Amino acid sequence: MDLNRVQIFAQVVEQGSFTGAAKALGLTKATVSRKIAELEADTGAQLLFRTTRALKLTEAGSSYYNRINKILSDLQSAENQLSAHQQLIKGNLKIVCPIELGQLFLGPILAEFLTRYPEITLDAELTNRKVDVIEEGVDILFQIADSGDTRLQSYALVNAHKSLMASPAYLAEYGTPKVPQDLAKHKAIRLQSAHIEGAWRLFDGKTWIVAEPVAQLTVNNVTLAREAAIAGLGITAVPSIIAQKALEKGYLIPLLDDYPMIQTKVVLSYPQRAYLPRKYRVFIEFIYAALFKRWGAQVLEVPEFIGKGSQGE
């Protein structure tokens, strides 16, 4: 295949004339005409109807153009990506992350990342509000549950299993609930935000049961809910990744394990694009290395560009 002739043919179609293609490519009209004739001779098919007023694609020409257009587009993307690999790893990344996840997971990672890549700067916002990545110019978004925004490329990182829990002191005073209906007799620490529904929904194997015990405290911060529960204020529902250490040390006791709650995932998203600049790639690779180190096989979805070495294989 003479790729040069294929590119000339594509330009003739897109420009609508030999003259337009010649001007776009910096060639003479005669050269363009000759290359198209050679292409038709090699393919054994007439690709264009030529008239004094315009050019039109034949049926064979239309089919051929549709195929080569994708090939040429893929070649351009490959060239752009290769160019991106040659870029210096520098620039700014705007990152948005839920407050608690940022405090517990991102802090140490960002410090290590910036030490390794001193030419990169980060603007990190910890917030539980809803974020429009495109409108706000966000590069990397961490969130609990996928927003479903088709403008974004998203990967589920790990499950954020949510469960009910309370302190031993609280349970000693008020008793341990055995079934969801028992929750009506207890005090709740309600967690509610843009991403988190305040009601508790538990599955009994057949249906979902909605439990809404009296809440003396309603907060929009998982860490505050966890600490209030440790202090014995009541029962709360927080992701196990946030309460893991408190559960391991016995500061909190898991409740109603036979009645699972609606589960969510930690999701990483970034704007859809033909290729990723190196600053994106190295940051995402760094995040995944930390995920595999901490959660291993529990990591859910992995981008194709993440190497096997990063997965501990």
Side-chain angles (χ1 to χ4, degrees):
M1 174 191 288
D2 186 334
L3 188 58
N4 181 251
R5 291 189 306 207
V6 173
Q7 291 173 315
I8 290 173
F9 171 69
Q11 277 295 316
V12 169
V13 175
E14 290 163 14
Q15 299 296 329
S17 68
F18 286 174
T19 301
K23 184 176 180 180
L25 295 169
L27 302 173
T28 64
K29 181 181 177 182
T31 298
V32 171
S33 180
R34 176 169 53 83
K35 290 293 184 181
I36 296 300
E38 291 173 357
L39 181 62
E40 288 180 321
D42 283 351
T43 58
Q46 184 179 357
L47 303 175
L48 296 165
F49 289 122
R50 300 164 178 80
T51 69
T52 56
R53 293 186 177 181
L55 292 176
K56 291 185 178 181
L57 285 168
T58 64
E59 183 177 350
S62 178
S63 176
Y64 185 69
Y65 174 74
N66 289 335
R67 293 191 176 208
I68 67 166
N69 189 46
K70 184 179 186 308
I71 294 171
L72 292 175
S73 178
D74 288 344
L75 285 172
Q76 184 62 55
S77 293
E79 183 178 335
N80 290 340
Q81 192 164 10
L82 180 62
S83 176
H85 274 288
Q86 304 308 313
Q87 297 171 7
L88 290 175
I89 306 177
K90 64 179 183 179
N92 180 262
L93 286 172
K94 184 176 180 180
I95 301 164
V96 177
C97 181
I99 295 170
E100 302 78 17
L101 184 64
Q103 292 170 333
L104 293 175
F105 178 65
L106 273 190
I109 293 175
L110 297 187
E112 187 179 346
F113 175 79
L114 291 174
T115 300
R116 184 175 299 185
Y117 299 100
E119 295 299 316
I120 291 181
T121 59
L122 300 177
D123 293 337
E125 178 186 353
L126 302 187
T127 180
N128 290 331
R129 67 181 177 84
K130 288 187 177 181
V131 176
D132 188 317
V133 170
I134 306 302
E135 290 296 323
E136 298 182 41
V138 174
D139 295 303
I140 304 288
L141 172 68
F142 295 90
Q143 57 189 329
I144 305 299
D146 190 353
S147 65
D149 191 334
T150 57
R151 301 172 300 171
L152 307 180
Q153 175 64 57
S154 298
Y155 296 96
L157 303 181
V158 292
N159 284 313
H161 293 296
K162 187 170 62 172
S163 60
L164 295 173
M165 57 193 73
S167 71
Y170 174 85
L171 297 175
E173 182 175 354
Y174 294 95
T176 301
K178 303 299 183 183
V179 294
Q181 289 76 9
D182 292 344
L183 293 171
K185 306 171 187 176
H186 284 268
K187 294 194 298 181
I189 303 163
R190 191 185 305 279
L191 182 63
Q192 190 164 355
S193 72
H195 305 285
I196 302 172
E197 181 185 14
W200 297 342
R201 298 178 184 273
L202 302 98
F203 191 63
D204 67 359
K206 295 181 180 179
T207 60
W208 287 95
I209 301 171
V210 179
E212 296 190 78
V214 176
Q216 189 175 0
L217 176 64
T218 299
V219 300
N220 70 342
N221 182 279
V222 176
T223 305
L224 180 54
R226 181 195 65 197
E227 294 304 303
I230 291 173
L233 187 61
I235 298 174
T236 194
V238 298
S240 57
I241 60 174
I242 302 297
Q244 183 176 353
K245 290 184 178 180
L247 291 167
E248 290 172 355
K249 293 181 178 181
Y251 298 157
L252 291 172
I253 306 296
L255 304 172
L256 298 175
D257 286 342
D258 293 335
Y259 299 88
M261 305 186 75
I262 292 177
Q263 300 302 331
T264 55
K265 295 176 174 62
V266 178
V267 177
L268 180 152
S269 302
Y270 55 83
Q272 288 272 15
R273 54 202 318 157
Y275 68 95
L276 281 180
R278 293 199 70 191
K279 63 180 182 178
Y280 277 69
R281 292 174 66 95
V282 297
F283 181 79
I284 295 170
E285 287 169 353
F286 206 86
I287 290 296
Y288 268 92
L291 288 171
F292 288 121
K293 183 177 180 180
R294 183 164 179 177
W295 283 292
Q298 296 179 52
V299 176
L300 300 175
E301 296 179 348
V302 184
E304 292 183 1
F305 61 81
I306 299 294
K308 294 289 185 180
S310 298
Q311 302 180 40
E313 296 181 4

